[in-house]
Amino acid sequence: MTFSKKDPIDALFRAWDRPDSPGCALGIYEDGEPLYMRGYGCAQLEHGVPITPTTVFHVASLSKQFTAMAVGLLAQSGRLSLDEDIRRYIPELPEGPLLTLRHFLHHLSGLRDQWDLLRLAGWRPADLRTTGDILRLVTRQKAQNFAPGTRFQYINTGYTLLGIAIERVTGVSLREYTEEHLFKPLGMLHTAFQDDHQRILPGRAQAYSMRPRGGWKINVPPYETVGPTGLFSTVEDFLLWERNFLRPIVGDAAFIQLAMAPGAFNDGRPVSYGFGLMLGEYRGLPIAEHSGGDAGYRAHYLRFPEQRLAVAVFANALEIHPTVLARQVADVLLEGRFQSAPEAAADNGPSGHELSSRVGLYRDQWSGITSKVELWEGRLFLVPSTGGVYELLPAGPERFRFLNVDAECQFTSAGQMLVKYGAQPTGLCERVALEACGTKALVGDYAGTYQSDELGVRWVLDVSGEALVLKRERFPDARIEFTADDEGTTALGDFHLRFTRDGGGRVNGLSLCAERVWNVSFARL
């Protein structure tokens, strides 16, 4: 078959098309048939194995659509209900407001995210994480980030609980259920949930990341947890998954329509997340998509339902950005069919003066987390107190998109910054006067031992010179940088602290926030 756009598409992957580098597998599907599939780069650097369309990748959060499909099939057969409280299936969860499976499917649960919880509870990146570890930690939580159904927040915990519910209803593992009811019927013979990290997967790509001084190192996720992640697949198998959306074998047309429909908040407003897929637009055309990333694995699946076109890009290096590549592939394939021009390039954006006017400290009204907007060498960056550094690229009047992340922020004349993820508002930040930074209290006022029953940890805050230092088991000491009275973040910028005081003004505890874990309580002992 002759593919006329082969050369411009191959050019997009040229940087990774070499035998001494990790790379990508690309799948392009039209009307449920293969249009172009190819590998670029190396699947295993140690053995010089090239990437092909049959190379097996960990696809991280692309797993969610398969977990959601399994939930939908069980609901369709009457074995579970999308509107039933999750505690019917997992009764050991703490009491609280109604939490339905539908809340979890559409990320409306308000639960605290499992990855942040594990990190705060003392897990290091190389530690093995299991579904049992996550469930035990979730059952200790006494509060949620917000009331279910009132806001959107992308939370992995809900999909872990969906996986557990599937296992308890069916009596078999999520891996076994999906193999029998999804993958075998579709012919996806190289796709499976990996619930045993020691299980051998023929054809698997190794994952890598670049060392600071150059050279590749192995970077694989130490997981034995499935539901939100844990799926391994190939771009060849994803052709069969795409075909099922167009000509269903698993489920029927009505079921596929339900899976592709947006969820809804309690007040009826739509939320742009279906059954494990983000729903939105790209350059004026409707899309359904999802990205995934764990350790050195990266993946993106992009569907244009009206054009019956889809793109899958799986990668085995942290430095590769499949979301960007998939959209660039779509730009080539659908040239002349989009409703709008490509997003504005950074060099056509605001002047340096306009960028500098955005610099400052912002506080989220919902979580209390602070973020700095900083200007480095003419480029704008968002630096949350909970960790991460995100470059902001001009995308329209007062609007900036995150580099390599499906998120954006918009500044208002009232001094606010609205943050959106997947077109859904996730943060509303007020500008804070920089002179308000720091604290009037003596750092010794905060010294002591603090305990969190929810995390099962004790932390020590000690004075070193004129600084307050956090001491945690298994982690380096971290200096606290105050951003306001009784508030601060670590010098590493991985979470935000708010100290509490009793009626006499004595510090008696603290409240801890990470990106997707809000207001965990610590008592001062």
Side-chain angles (χ1 to χ4, degrees), residues 163-185:
I164 295 171
I166 291 169
E167 294 183 353
R168 294 192 178 180
V169 166
T170 64
V172 299
S173 69
L174 179 62
R175 175 179 59 80
E176 293 169 312
Y177 180 82
T178 51
E179 180 179 2
E180 187 66 28
H181 296 274
L182 287 180
F183 304 136
K184 281 185 178 179

Side-chain angles (χ1 to χ4, degrees), residues 440-448 450 463 468 486 499 501 505-508 524:
K440 299 174 184 177
L442 298 173
V443 293
D445 292 352
Y446 305 102
Y450 295 76
V463 176
L468 186 67
D486 291 343
F499 292 93
R501 295 178 181 269
R506 177 182 176 273
V507 174
N508 63 357
R524 190 181 189 185

